[in-house]
Amino acid sequence: MITQVNGRFSTTEMESVLSVSALVCSMVDFEAALSRVQSSIGIIPEEIGVAITAACQNVKIPAEKLEILAPNSGTLAAPFLAELIAQVSEQNADAASYLHFGTTSQDLIDTASVLSLREAGKLLEAEMKALATALSELAKEHSNTVMLGRTMLQPSPQVTFGLKVAHWYGAISRAITRLQEANKHALTLQFGGVVGTLSAFGKAGIEIAEALGSELGLTVPPAPWHTQRDNLVELASAVGILAGSLGKIAIDIVLMMQFEVQEVSEPMLAGRGGSSAVPHKQNPVGCLVALSASRKVPGLVSTMMNSMVQEHERAVGAWQAEWPTLVDIYSNTAASLTAMKDVIEGLNVYPDQMLDNIKNTQGLTYSEAVSVALTLKVGRSDARRLTEVASRLAIESDTSFEQIILNSYDILNVINRDELTELFKQKGNLGVSQEFISRILNNRY
Amino acid sequence: MITQVNGRFSTTEMESVLSVSALVCSMVDFEAALSRVQSSIGIIPEEIGVAITAACQNVKIPAEKLEILAPNSGTLAAPFLAELIAQVSEQNADAASYLHFGTTSQDLIDTASVLSLREAGKLLEAEMKALATALSELAKEHSNTVMLGRTMLQPSPQVTFGLKVAHWYGAISRAITRLQEANKHALTLQFGGVVGTLSAFGKAGIEIAEALGSELGLTVPPAPWHTQRDNLVELASAVGILAGSLGKIAIDIVLMMQFEVQEVSEPMLAGRGGSSAVPHKQNPVGCLVALSASRKVPGLVSTMMNSMVQEHERAVGAWQAEWPTLVDIYSNTAASLTAMKDVIEGLNVYPDQMLDNIKNTQGLTYSEAVSVALTLKVGRSDARRLTEVASRLAIESDTSFEQIILNSYDILNVINRDELTELFKQKGNLGVSQEFISRILNNRY
Amino acid sequence: MITQVNGRFSTTEMESVLSVSALVCSMVDFEAALSRVQSSIGIIPEEIGVAITAACQNVKIPAEKLEILAPNSGTLAAPFLAELIAQVSEQNADAASYLHFGTTSQDLIDTASVLSLREAGKLLEAEMKALATALSELAKEHSNTVMLGRTMLQPSPQVTFGLKVAHWYGAISRAITRLQEANKHALTLQFGGVVGTLSAFGKAGIEIAEALGSELGLTVPPAPWHTQRDNLVELASAVGILAGSLGKIAIDIVLMMQFEVQEVSEPMLAGRGGSSAVPHKQNPVGCLVALSASRKVPGLVSTMMNSMVQEHERAVGAWQAEWPTLVDIYSNTAASLTAMKDVIEGLNVYPDQMLDNIKNTQGLTYSEAVSVALTLKVGRSDARRLTEVASRLAIESDTSFEQIILNSYDILNVINRDELTELFKQKGNLGVSQEFISRILNNRY
Amino acid sequence: MITQVNGRFSTTEMESVLSVSALVCSMVDFEAALSRVQSSIGIIPEEIGVAITAACQNVKIPAEKLEILAPNSGTLAAPFLAELIAQVSEQNADAASYLHFGTTSQDLIDTASVLSLREAGKLLEAEMKALATALSELAKEHSNTVMLGRTMLQPSPQVTFGLKVAHWYGAISRAITRLQEANKHALTLQFGGVVGTLSAFGKAGIEIAEALGSELGLTVPPAPWHTQRDNLVELASAVGILAGSLGKIAIDIVLMMQFEVQEVSEPMLAGRGGSSAVPHKQNPVGCLVALSASRKVPGLVSTMMNSMVQEHERAVGAWQAEWPTLVDIYSNTAASLTAMKDVIEGLNVYPDQMLDNIKNTQGLTYSEAVSVALTLKVGRSDARRLTEVASRLAIESDTSFEQIILNSYDILNVINRDELTELFKQKGNLGVSQEFISRILNNRY
């Protein structure tokens, strides 16, 4: 469900998986898993892993308090550990002694972040698939629904609404694949110890890393990535691109929802879209959420990218800039995604109005078809001249372009009337629109 | 006090003035003030203004609930009004009937935002002034503390630490003036009614606007600014530039705090800077906060700027993207500002180490002074040649540049030894450093 | 004239003043002025200043060659000086010996940049004033031209086209003032020598700086600003905000130019706007240029802002990132400005179509007026209920809202028919539109 | 070779492949290939394809002139076609008549852009591979070269220089794969005709598209992508991430090149790095180029991302904003890449200085090792207390930490001297540094 947190759009689900509380839970999981692994490999006493894991199940770490203390060291790690150690100590002082052994803040924070982003990615993926399904159905339903094409917001030859929707689908479909790939690259274990050498474990380091990855269900990369953030930025970009593709859907719908166009409208969801001053005005509030996200996310992704310049073995500032930026990227995009899913699932489509809008152009959108047909008879320059004369006449005399054309001796001299009439069939020449729709829909994520 | 909210640095004070609750309070104030003004001018019954104001003092608007409902219409306005009307109705159904009369969501949201930003600006200004005072004192204290100049992170002729600090002061001083100017431009009443014509009030519109501005202590601009956001973006930029100037202070300190340089260190504030793995390592955590902000704020300002393209009389998406972006800009910058104020107020400065670092360059930083002196005797190309030969010899023989120079016949041929000796006085040639310090410090905000 | 350089929009005039050649000319001017000042103050022999100035008039510095060599040192300064010294030497070896005395690359580059930006600013200012004049006239001409207000791209109560244009004017007017202020802050002499202490000149530094500023017509700031770039970023922001305000004008025009809206159209300038495939389609190409700029400039301004974090006495990377970024900001904005000036000066306005578009809403845009009027009779909740019932009926029965209202017993019970009829006068209730126009136009830059 | 164009860093090779001239050549290729395909499929007369292709070989399209005319229609397409048709007409008027048949500006511009980006990608890939090779060799050479780890710019336990370099390698290796993947997605044929339906060709559209893709060596996507720019933005992001990873290498080198650190230095390439004022100062000019790029590219990528919101079948502004932005992204990144390749291939490494820098920390960087060893004996809290006492004593008495530890009764009580001595071996505990290096280097692009 779309919600707002301190003014920022999000979904309640995304807020939950990206909350500080969720992050803290993942941090507890990390420390418990690490102790189990170290016990099983014999780095720390055998019973400690079980004891820590048991104790961890009873800890209650107050997320807000950690946030108040975090600025003292730059991240949640230090206050979290102080709290965790204190709470585990109360239960089992001996076990507490082995907490966080041989690891470091960055291992803890980065791995916990990855665990949160994994959940966040699942939410996005499920919602993208639901949106893709809705788009696919809408595209099929309207594969023959003819409407004006519009280039630079000016009327152009016809397309089908189904083709437009299929393009929206294509982008979401690619976004799914892109996110999956980026997740594969970015959602890996961070485990390197103080400077990324796992110095506390002698030769056992790799073995511990593999076991820890296995405990947490995370791939173990060739080496830690503490100051190599490229995969994380790839992930941020993938989400940012999704926000852009959703913005594209939204702008099309907003434009079609204009009173003067009226080709589609957002569904009237309960409580949605009312104006505080004008009764019975329906605002495109789903699109609003998506367009707002597509304005905010690019700047956030640029922050992720310029934060890649991280000094030596741990950055001062650039690393710490990432997490809140990621939270903003995911939250805004999640809200956008749910908003557009809701919009598409209930979109009202007005095919008659689409035909009316074509009719209102008085046939001028057929000028390309006429020009093409004439070119094949008399070559480009004569074709262009003939079409332009007819266009100008249509505009000046406020007559339909079709009538002008069908009554032009110059034109009837070079092309026969039946061929011309064919060009003006209301549905226009849709080329391979159908094939394009099939090709896009078949090219599944 | 610096704190963190869902991973984003802020201060507790800034969080408070930019909270949704504070915004909602300002929204209540707006509606109450509007009713008083309308009663006094005779637009609505005379007693209503007092009644609404009284009722408003008892309302309790649940900010979180509004945020859950906000996505239905894109802003807090609609759920806020529903709640306000309900609560006022319970107290005085008649009065409630005149709430929000003739105004619109955007008037409400924008004016309330301005009221919040006014408080936020006061916090920034007070903190900037405290920082400026600390910088001014530090600059005076160290106006004779000589240190290496460094260009492109390579050693250069001497400067004074006081001059460096004075430059920091200059930037903060200008930031104060810049914020004051931007506030004057941006913190004005928004009041235009549904489409910015104040259509509900006939000719009384201007009078109501002036009275409302007066009630709220806000300047009334020539006209509403619903889709003209230039002054708001100027304000965002002014705060963003402050974040950049704070980042400049932080990078200098971080570099001087390197173990190999050790010219300054952050104060050891209670609970600050410890490492979770390495005892007795002091991290530059104040600078970390500032550097993190200087990475995040520029992307946020770009969002404000690209959101200026707002359609017709109210934008869909771009307008709604602004508030959370502003909150992020102010919060991050406030944290950075407080962090640097704390750092500067307690900064440890090590003048002896500064002298040692000069000495370690073996006099090579004096090469410019020698080159300048020689140029006045023998012209540029000979001067350069002589200095280069001596420099190379100093490096190759691991001898001090001063010794090489004072023993070079070629050089003693053209310049006398006393003049040369003068050049190598430990404090170096500081030019007009003192005058620059005075000029900067006297050029007060 | 708008042009394009390697794909980037600009104007021929802006290209000229921001070219490398122009920068090199300013660099020559700087060195010549410096020598004159140093001669007159007695730092270098009296005749040298005149000699260098004379020689400089004959130099031909090949800009392209310098650009090839610039990456060796990071800026144009080193290859420029090599070339300048060589060419002056050929004319007067003695004089050449005193070139660039006591100054440094950054003084040279920054001051030359400032001289170029001064010319660039003049171009922008003149063009903004021309645009402001055109907007002012257009606003006056159409102060009574009624059109639909549109909020979130949905029809709303009426505004006047003149009010819309006046708002555009207001933004440009403020942009002029903003640029003038920013220029005052940023366009100052950079003169500090190697590390910003003017160490080569003993106590004479300030005197030389003042004289040099005077020679070049530049204010001398309290101290050099080599790594304090706040004023420069303020300038970049001011230009960026202009680009945003131009984008706002463009989006409004693009939307009004839609075939379905047809309220205005760009002038058909010679050679403008044709489609390569569709004869007689007029594209909004002026707006295209402006909208393209408003998408590009914010990211560029963010680069300027994140480049403020400059190390010690000269930055490595951040400083050098600025100039090409500024060139892009100014070029894109200049193209946008000229494009919109051309568009506004020749804009076709179709007031009849504006009235038609109002009529097509069947009176629903008057619902706010009805609601306001009823509120004053029966209070908010009854007013709202009555208006909503009528609105729904109008939509469901495809009847005009006016007719529904004027035939509703419930409504005629509480408000008399004449009062209602008054509300539906075609021009609608324009509130204080006229006053707002006057106030904006009188609030001149 | 790195060069500069109007202030922007680039390489001569990249400038060449991304020049307007190169783009125009690709545009000619597109039109010629299209005519051949249409002739062979029988859409236009059989001989025309050959004739057009022949005529195209003689055309000379003046790129600068096209750029002057481009703003009239927003892109190069219209002036290009006018010129092409004129020049082909002179040779063969009949053939000219069939030029650009059934296609549109966007097909022409997008496909030509893709052809240019393909060449640009080849340049990047070759240079990345050369850099990767140099990094791989450097990493192997220094796999045992011990140096200080540094976290938040403070000294930490040891790493090896080889491990640091291997991490640089890893990022470049991933960048190669990422660019290859993004190229696969983005470098595809754009071919849809006026509105993306290939309406001019009836059912033959797909066949023509396939044949045209084959002629140009481009994959044919399921459908045209005129307003779905996600793959293009993915490509821009991939290049942007490369710029970030290069910036990471550069910041590490710049920091190690500081006079006070002196662990590496850039090679003294011919003409490189001199200071205009200070003889014998070596500036990190290669890193400067890379750091400058890493500041500029993120803002440019954000422009690409916010330009994804493209209206209907062709955008007004957003589409046209892309090409110059891409040119900037590629140029800056190419310069950065070549700069870092040159730096790495000739990097001077000073292992003795690295050891000295470790020694200067007086053993404090071993505190983690001591703390870890003690933890296994006496648990975390006692271990931490003992280490802290020793650290404080070392600092206060200016004695080496090693000596303090080896003379502490409290510590010798719980751990034997030999075990302690082992911890302080000069090379420190490098954990699995070697394994990490192997794993990274074996994980080849």
Side-chain angles (χ1 to χ4, degrees), chain A residues 140-182:
Chain A
K140 284 178 207 155
E141 186 185 342
H142 290 285
S143 65
N144 285 305
T145 305
V146 178
M147 68 182 295
L148 272 181
R150 293 180 179 97
T151 55
M152 302 198 188
L153 289 187
Q154 292 300 307
S156 285
Q158 286 86 335
V159 296
T160 62
F161 181 60
L163 179 58
K164 188 184 285 273
V165 176
H167 279 300
W168 299 343
Y169 168 89
I172 300 306
S173 168
R174 291 187 295 274
I176 294 171
T177 309
R178 196 178 288 115
L179 182 67
Q180 289 169 336
E181 286 301 306

Side-chain angles (χ1 to χ4, degrees), chain A residues 9 24 64 88 132 183 308 312 326 340 398 401 422 430 436:
Chain A
F9 291 127
V24 165
E64 294 76 17
V88 171
N183 275 341
M308 292 180 69
H312 291 314
L326 285 166
M340 295 320 296
D398 200 13
F401 181 68
E422 189 69 13
L430 295 168
F436 281 154

Side-chain angles (χ1 to χ4, degrees), chain A residues 55-175:
Chain A
C56 279
Q57 272 153 4
N58 302 317
V59 300
K60 284 221 168 65
I61 314 274
E64 294 76 17
K65 185 179 151 198
L66 299 192
E67 290 222 284
I68 293 169
L69 296 169
N72 284 333
S73 53
T75 72
L76 292 171
F80 164 80
L81 283 169
E83 191 73 32
L84 181 68
I85 290 167
Q87 293 194 22
V88 171
S89 280
E90 274 179 33
Q91 302 175 60
N92 184 332
D94 192 34
S97 194
Y98 295 98
L99 272 168
H100 197 63
F101 181 70
T103 187
T104 190
S105 304
Q106 187 154 16
D107 290 345
L108 174 60
I109 295 284
D110 277 348
T111 299
S113 301
V114 158
L115 292 170
S116 290
L117 292 178
R118 183 169 64 182
E119 297 312 304
K122 284 180 196 163
L123 292 177
L124 289 185
E125 189 170 335
E127 203 80 341
M128 280 195 277
K129 285 179 174 166
L131 172 55
T133 300
L135 287 168
S136 171
E137 282 165 17
L138 191 64
K140 284 178 207 155
E141 186 185 342
H142 290 285
S143 65
N144 285 305
T145 305
V146 178
M147 68 182 295
L148 272 181
R150 293 180 179 97
T151 55
M152 302 198 188
L153 289 187
Q154 292 300 307
S156 285
Q158 286 86 335
V159 296
T160 62
F161 181 60
L163 179 58
K164 188 184 285 273
V165 176
H167 279 300
W168 299 343
Y169 168 89
I172 300 306
S173 168
R174 291 187 295 274

Side-chain angles (χ1 to χ4, degrees), chain D residues 167-234:
Chain D
H167 279 300
W168 299 343
Y169 168 91
I172 299 306
S173 168
R174 291 187 295 275
I176 294 172
T177 309
R178 195 179 288 115
L179 181 67
Q180 289 169 337
E181 285 302 306
N183 275 340
K184 261 188 238 163
H185 302 153
L187 302 184
T188 67
L189 182 72
Q190 175 73 283
F191 189 59
V194 193
V195 288
T197 62
L198 290 176
S199 54
F201 311 120
K203 294 301 165 200
I206 305 284
E207 193 188 352
I208 297 177
E210 295 289 351
L212 182 58
S214 178
E215 280 284 326
L216 297 168
L218 291 174
T219 310
V220 179
W225 43 278
H226 35 260
T227 47
Q228 297 293 348
R229 316 300 284 186
D230 52 304
N231 282 332
L232 200 61
V233 180
E234 181 188 326

Side-chain angles (χ1 to χ4, degrees), chain A residues 148 150-156 254-255 257-261 275-284 288 306 360-361 367-368 384 387-388 391-392, chain C residues 148 150-156 254-255 257-261 275-284 288 306 360-361 367-368 384 387-388 391-392:
Chain A
L148 272 181
R150 293 180 179 97
T151 55
M152 302 198 188
L153 289 187
Q154 292 300 307
S156 285
V254 159
L255 291 169
M257 269 184 78
Q258 291 173 99
F259 183 82
E260 296 84 356
V261 179
S275 156
S276 73
V278 187
H280 267 282
K281 180 182 155 213
Q282 195 200 354
N283 288 324
L288 176 164
N306 84 44
N360 289 338
T361 65
S367 63
E368 189 236 359
R384 203 175 168 95
T387 321
E388 287 194 5
S391 299
R392 201 175 310 121
Chain C
L148 274 181
R150 293 180 179 97
T151 56
M152 303 198 188
L153 288 188
Q154 293 300 308
S156 285
V254 159
L255 290 169
M257 268 183 80
Q258 290 173 101
F259 183 82
E260 296 84 355
V261 179
S275 156
S276 73
V278 186
H280 267 283
K281 182 185 154 208
Q282 196 201 353
N283 289 324
L288 175 164
N306 84 44
N360 288 338
T361 65
S367 63
E368 189 235 0
R384 202 173 170 95
T387 322
E388 287 194 6
S391 299
R392 201 175 311 120

